[in-house]
Amino acid sequence: MPCEDASDRLRSEIAAEIGARGPIPFARFMEMCLYHPVLGYYTRGIGGGGGRDYLTSSGTHSAFGLLLARQVDEMWRRAGRPDPYHFVEFGPGEGYFALDFLREAARSEGFAKALRYVMVEPSPVLAERQRSRLAGRSASAVQWLSEQDLDRRAKFAGCLFANEVLDAFPVHRVMGTPQGPREIHVDAGAGGLHEILAPLSSDSVGCFLHDNGIVLEDGQEIDLNLAAPCWVSWAAGLLQRGYLMIVDYGYEAPELYAPQRRRGTLLAYHRHRIGEDFLERPGEQDLTAHLDFTAIRRAAESAGARQLGLTTQARFLLGLGALELIQVPEAPLAGGDDQPAGRFLEALKDREALKELILPGRMGDRFRVQVLGVGDVPRDLAGLSRPWDRPEVTAAASPLSPPRGAALARESEDQP
Ligand SMILES: C[S@@+](CC[C@H](N)C(=O)[O-])C[C@H]1O[C@@H](n2cnc3c(N)ncnc32)[C@H](O)[C@@H]1O
């Protein structure tokens, strides 16, 4: 379906819903834009393929999946090597992470044997793409399940993982006014869709503000992701014993709702351009907001879990040995043929992509890793250790070097 058609159809459906029930909370608008059963942005799987609108850590370099596999291998060993051991990836998107994770897990025989890799992907289009990407590679150990399937299962031992998933949950946008907090709703008129301020759409929005002591200044706008803490308490309930690892951008509550941040964190991404025209091209652009790690920690605690660590992606990956994966390409000899020069350039590009994952000002400190534990599990994990405490690793002891050009391979592997 051509993009304009899909977006126009979705806009009409949104307008029809507004016609039937009145202005809708922005969270409902965002839900339709991203997850409409046919026309939603993620349902159609249009943003990540080839990095059209966004590029995640898994899409940037294979070291991300590889190092996380190392972390989960450690979790499994320290749990006493249970067989089976479940690793559940929520929102796998293009499926790159699983590819790199499974490739690395295969090096650890006992771990590979015990591992049950589960994917939870609501978009049938993306799930199909994941299947093709993994075809022929350890696919027998991979299963696609729905949240309802997981609910029907007995509690299990393992690790749950979500990279850049919770930031795509719909947010309520609330603004401080002299009359108290009001919520941004979407209305439809002759000029198309537009925003209006209306009373809070539900008690849960008011309760969240009250329970978290959030008092808004006049004109200050915040976005509230109520779905993320709900999801975390549900997910923690799936585990008998194990970990929940969330990788995403976000802040602790005092920083997230500080009055200096006048207009919240919601952003629209379209073809790598960042915008604030949230009502533009419904279903054609990504909408995403920063997480509230404090609300997530509290939700986890209420569900009987505890926070084991909240750190930057840089520290987490360095703790797992990211530096040992950085290759120093050998400069080609002057006057040599073109092949070594080509390999040199490829290795340089590969190194740049890996650095993107860990450098400050880039993905290294834009993303945080929040590790939550259920049951009596060790908290002194390699990813949460101080990277400078790592024992020296000799080249011989590091079997984990990614294949040269792994990141480059991504570019020619965009769509299966
Ligand atoms: C920005 S993409 C992240 C892709 C991937 N994790 C990566 O690292 O590249 C968001 C993904 O989350 C999925 N998603 C959204 N809501 C979800 C939910 N409730 N459970 C599982 N996946 C969800 C989307 O369909 C999409 O695959």
Side-chain angles (χ1 to χ4, degrees):
M1 188 183 325
C3 302
E4 289 76 30
D5 287 3
S7 194
D8 289 347
R9 276 179 54 196
L10 184 55
R11 191 181 290 104
S12 305
E13 283 207 27
I14 292 168
E17 179 165 323
I18 293 169
R21 58 176 269 214
I24 53 174
F26 182 83
R28 170 63 184 154
F29 168 80
M30 184 166 165
E31 184 188 4
M32 288 180 88
C33 289
L34 300 184
Y35 305 110
H36 180 284
V38 179
L39 304 167
Y41 177 84
Y42 283 114
T43 318
R44 292 195 291 144
I46 52 177
R52 190 193 92 157
D53 297 333
Y54 59 82
L55 196 58
T56 61
S57 293
S58 348
T60 299
H61 197 280
S62 56
F64 186 67
L66 180 154
L67 291 167
L68 268 288
R70 244 189 202 189
Q71 180 57 90
V72 179
D73 190 341
E74 184 199 15
M75 291 168 172
W76 167 74
R77 275 184 281 112
R78 297 192 59 194
R81 302 171 188 256
D83 187 354
Y85 191 75
H86 290 91
F87 179 78
V88 185
E89 185 189 358
F90 291 89
E94 301 299 317
Y96 290 131
F97 180 86
L99 194 66
D100 300 326
F101 185 104
L102 289 166
R103 194 183 278 144
E104 181 55 25
R107 292 170 175 270
S108 168
E109 205 180 298
F111 178 51
K113 187 180 152 294
L115 182 67
R116 301 290 181 277
Y117 200 109
V118 175
M119 311 263 240
V120 181
E121 175 54 71
S123 157
V125 173
L126 287 174
E128 197 41 51
R129 213 174 287 159
Q130 292 151 18
R131 281 196 181 89
S132 329
R133 183 149 281 128
L134 292 178
R137 299 186 214 227
S138 319
S140 56
V142 183
Q143 244 192 319
W144 279 260
L145 296 179
S146 66
E147 293 190 350
Q148 294 70 27
D149 293 331
L150 290 174
D151 273 334
R152 283 190 284 271
R153 294 198 148 200
K155 290 183 182 227
F156 53 85
C159 175
L160 314 179
F161 174 68
N163 179 51
E164 277 205 63
V165 176
L166 278 62
D167 66 82
F169 285 2
V171 293
H172 294 264
R173 291 166 61 205
V174 180
M175 184 176 273
T177 76
Q179 294 74 41
R182 294 287 181 271
E183 187 168 339
I184 294 176
H185 284 60
V186 179
D187 199 0
L193 301 177
H194 59 273
E195 294 180 358
I196 59 161
L197 276 184
L200 300 182
S201 62
S202 72
D203 288 347
S204 27
V205 178
C207 287
F208 188 92
L209 294 172
H210 177 266
D211 294 349
N212 292 281
I214 301 171
V215 180
L216 296 176
E217 288 187 355
D218 191 13
Q220 181 190 352
E221 183 189 319
I222 58 173
D223 30 69
L224 299 181
N225 182 342
L226 303 187
C230 283
W231 182 88
V232 165
S233 51
W234 166 77
L238 297 173
L239 289 173
Q240 181 212 356
R241 188 167 186 270
Y243 299 89
L244 171 53
M245 278 196 292
I246 295 166
V247 185
D248 227 315
Y249 29 77
Y251 302 105
E252 294 269 17
E255 202 180 340
L256 188 59
Y257 308 124
Q260 300 87 300
R261 196 182 297 285
R262 294 297 288 173
R263 55 146 305 279
T265 65
L266 183 71
L267 287 174
Y269 283 85
H270 184 63
R271 300 196 184 274
H272 287 285
R273 279 213 205 99
I274 301 177
E276 295 181 18
D277 294 329
F278 307 128
L279 307 189
E280 283 297 298
R281 22 178 133 75
E284 269 298 308
Q285 59 181 5
D286 196 12
L287 297 169
T288 161
H290 282 50
L291 296 191
D292 173 348
F293 289 120
T294 310
I296 290 178
R297 173 177 51 76
R298 289 198 183 125
E301 286 166 357
S302 307
R306 70 202 160 104
Q307 179 167 296
L308 307 181
L310 175 60
T311 186
T312 61
Q313 174 166 299
R315 280 187 65 150
F316 197 77
L317 297 183
L318 290 173
L320 289 164
L323 281 186
E324 293 138 35
L325 302 181
I326 294 189
Q327 308 185 37
V328 183
E330 280 170 38
L333 294 173
D337 60 28
D338 285 350
Q339 255 194 1
R343 279 203 300 274
F344 175 71
L345 289 177
E346 289 203 356
L348 267 185
K349 272 176 92 175
D350 186 69
R351 191 170 65 155
E352 286 311 298
L354 205 158
K355 277 162 60 183
E356 175 69 31
L357 293 180
I358 49 178
L359 280 181
R362 307 224 219 138
M363 287 171 153
D365 60 5
R366 277 215 323 272
F367 288 92
R368 309 267 168 99
V369 182
Q370 188 172 36
V371 184
L372 306 159
V374 176
D376 182 20
V377 288
R379 68 183 314 150
D380 55 335
L381 300 169
L384 298 176
S385 65
R386 295 186 304 176
W388 48 92
D389 287 346
R390 277 184 68 75
E392 272 191 5
V393 181
T394 63
S398 173
L400 292 162
S401 299
R404 271 179 188 258
L408 300 175
R410 289 276 147 81
E411 289 168 12
S412 55
E413 216 187 36
D414 281 337
Q415 302 287 337

